[in-house]
Amino acid sequence: GILGNICARISKEKKPNTYMMLCLMRFCLCVPHAMVDFVEPIIQHVAVALAEACKNPTNPIYNHAMFEVISSTIAIAPQHAGSIESTIWQNLFEILSKDVVEFVPYSLQLMGQLLDARNPQDPLPEHYQSLIAPLLSPVMFEQPGTIPAAVRMLTAVIRKDAFYLERNNLIENVLQIFSKLLFLKKHDHDALNIMIALVMALPFDHLGAYIKQVYMHLFNRLSSGNTPKYTRCIILFFSVLIIHHGVERVVTAVNDIQPGMFWMYLTNIWLKNMQKVTGTTERTCCVVALATLLCESQTLQAEVRVWSDAVCACLRMVHFAAEKDDHSSFTPKFLQFGDLKDSVGDGGFVNAFCPLTCAVPAPVNPCPQVSDANAYLKQRLSNLVQNNPNFDAILR
C-alpha cells in the first residue's frame, strides 16, 4: 500500500527524498498505533537510507526526519528494540568512529533510547561497553550541540549499570565530566542530571570516596557564579540526595567541609528559593526531602525558628503554585524541526542539538512511593508530634 511505496522510494533513491521521509515521519508520529505491525520493514528500508546519508549528510530536514522515524519505531514497538538495534547498530557506531559531526547527536540519542528499552535487569551489553571510553572523553563534551546528547547517553549507561563503571574505575572519569559541565552555565543542569543519576544508581558507600569532592564543586560554583537555574537545580539535587542517602549522611558530609555549612545552605538558599522549583515530580521530591529533614534531624528540631520556616516552606509548596523565576537565562537554545533547512548554507554545518521527540527520556521519580506530597507531609508531622508532644505547641 501507501506505506510500502513510501519505504521503497526512500530506500531505492540515492538522493534524499525529503517529501517521502517527511510522510513516513508523520505516519510514525501521528498514528503510532497503526504502525506497530510495520516497524520491522520500516526500519529495514530506513537503514538503507541511513547508510547512504552517512556518506554525505547534505539535507538537515531529511536527516532529522529520518532519525525521528528510527526513534519512533523504538517507541512504537520497544519489544522489537533488539532487532532494530541489530539493523542500525553498525551505522550508529560508524557515525561515532568516523565523527560524522552532523549525525553524532542523533546517534547518541538513539543509543540512549535503545539502552533504556532493554530489560532493566540485564547487564550492560559488550557493544555498549566498547563505547564507554569515547563517551567519557572530554572531547565528546566540547561541542555545544553534542553535550545534551552525550549526557542523555551517559545517564542511560548509569541507570543501566552504574556498577560496571565502578568495577572498571570509571567513576572518577564521570566526575571529571560533571565538574567540566558544572562550571558551564548553560550546561550546569546537565552536570547535575549526571550526578542525580549516580546518586539514584549507587549506594552511599560506593560514592563515599567522591562525595566530598562533589560537594566542594557544588558550593564553589554556588559562590562563584550562581544563577536562578543553578539554584533550582542544586535544591533538587540535595532533595534527591536526602531521599536516597538519608539526612545524617548528607548533613554530616556537608558540614565536614565547613562547620554549619549545610544549615547556611538550608536557610539562605533552599528555604528562600524552593518555591521557585517547577514540575509536579520535582516539587514533590523537594517536599519529601524537606519533610524528612524536619522529622529526622535533631539539630534542625533544636532550631525552632528555622524548623518553623521549613514547615511553612513545605506548606507553600503543596498549597500554592510555583513562584515566578528567570527560566530563560543560561538555558541552551535547542533547534526545533521548523528551524531546519533543506540544505546546508554557505556557512557550512552548525553543531546544534535538535532533540528527537521519542528519544527524550521519561522523568525518573526519586520517590515513586509518594503519590500525594501534602498527605505525606501531614503524616510525617503527625508522627513527629505524637512521639514528641512539644512540637504540637510549635505547630499551633
Side-chain angles (χ1 to χ4, degrees), residues 18-75:
T18 304
Y19 179 75
M20 288 292 128
M21 192 63 80
L22 285 173
C23 284
L24 185 56
M25 182 187 78
R26 295 301 180 198
F27 270 116
C28 291
L29 292 178
C30 297
V31 286
H33 57 281
M35 309 299 287
V36 176
D37 294 335
F38 305 102
V39 162
E40 295 204 27
I42 288 173
I43 205 68
Q44 292 291 339
H45 285 283
V46 174
V48 175
L50 174 59
E52 194 65 32
C54 287
K55 299 174 184 177
N56 187 21
T58 57
N59 188 323
I61 292 179
Y62 174 88
N63 296 337
H64 183 82
M66 175 177 60
F67 282 104
E68 284 280 19
V69 169
I70 298 171
S71 177
S72 65
T73 60
I74 303 168

Side-chain angles (χ1 to χ4, degrees), residues 78-98:
Q79 68 274 21
H80 296 311
S83 62
I84 295 171
E85 182 178 280
S86 299
T87 304
I88 64 170
W89 184 262
Q90 188 59 37
N91 287 326
L92 298 183
F93 182 80
E94 288 185 3
I95 287 169
L96 297 184
S97 62
K98 295 180 179 179

Side-chain angles (χ1 to χ4, degrees), residues 381-396:
L381 291 177
S382 176
N383 292 342
L384 179 67
V385 170
Q386 288 176 10
N387 296 322
N388 301 273
N390 292 336
F391 277 100
D392 185 48
I394 297 173
L395 285 171
R396 291 180 186 279

Side-chain angles (χ1 to χ4, degrees), residues 62-274:
Y62 174 88
N63 296 337
H64 183 82
M66 175 177 60
F67 282 104
E68 284 280 19
V69 169
I70 298 171
S71 177
S72 65
T73 60
I74 303 168
I76 290 168
Q79 68 274 21
H80 296 311
S83 62
I84 295 171
E85 182 178 280
S86 299
T87 304
I88 64 170
W89 184 262
Q90 188 59 37
N91 287 326
L92 298 183
F93 182 80
E94 288 185 3
I95 287 169
L96 297 184
S97 62
K98 295 180 179 179
D99 194 24
V100 184
V101 290
E102 296 91 337
F103 287 174
V104 167
Y106 291 124
S107 183
L108 290 169
Q109 289 181 79
L110 290 180
M111 287 176 169
Q113 186 183 4
L114 287 165
L115 194 54
D116 284 345
R118 285 179 167 268
N119 187 328
Q121 306 305 319
D122 292 343
L124 188 69
E126 287 188 11
H127 55 290
Y128 281 94
Q129 294 176 16
S130 66
L131 296 174
I132 301 301
L135 180 62
L136 293 177
S137 168
V139 176
M140 186 65 76
F141 296 86
E142 295 290 342
Q143 295 289 343
T146 304
I147 289 174
V151 170
R152 196 262 181 266
M153 175 62 177
L154 179 54
T155 52
V157 170
I158 293 170
R159 288 193 300 270
K160 182 64 179 171
D161 195 354
F163 291 100
Y164 171 83
L165 299 175
E166 184 188 31
R167 288 194 303 273
N168 290 274
N169 301 313
L170 294 171
I171 299 296
E172 187 67 41
N173 301 68
V174 175
L175 293 180
Q176 288 174 4
I177 301 300
F178 158 76
S179 176
K180 176 185 179 71
L181 297 180
L182 187 69
F183 288 89
L184 299 176
K185 290 184 179 180
K186 286 190 176 182
H187 295 286
D188 46 15
H189 63 288
D190 288 318
L192 286 164
N193 282 337
I194 292 171
M195 277 310 306
I196 286 174
L198 270 180
V199 166
M200 294 180 65
L202 291 175
F204 180 82
D205 293 342
H206 294 246
L207 287 174
Y210 311 102
I211 203 69
K212 184 175 181 179
Q213 176 187 351
V214 170
Y215 290 161
M216 291 180 70
H217 285 315
L218 290 171
F219 288 114
N220 283 340
R221 169 60 209 280
L222 191 64
S223 61
S224 64
N226 193 21
T227 64
K229 175 169 73 103
Y230 183 68
T231 297
R232 296 191 302 270
C233 287
I234 197 173
I235 289 171
L236 183 58
F237 173 72
F238 273 103
S239 297
V240 175
L241 263 180
I242 286 174
I243 291 169
H244 281 267
H245 288 169
V247 169
E248 290 306 318
R249 282 174 167 169
V250 175
V251 172
T252 300
V254 174
N255 285 339
D256 281 346
I257 300 173
Q258 178 182 322
M261 176 174 278
F262 182 86
W263 307 115
M264 287 187 287
Y265 161 73
L266 177 70
T267 55
N268 296 328
I269 302 295
W270 191 337
L271 297 184
K272 290 182 178 180
N273 296 282
M274 187 171 78

Side-chain angles (χ1 to χ4, degrees), residues 280-281 283-285 287-288 318 365-377:
T280 301
T281 300
R283 289 171 70 82
T284 297
C285 176
V287 171
V288 170
V318 298
N365 189 348
C367 44
Q369 73 282 6
V370 179
S371 58
D372 186 336
N374 188 30
Y376 179 85
L377 176 63

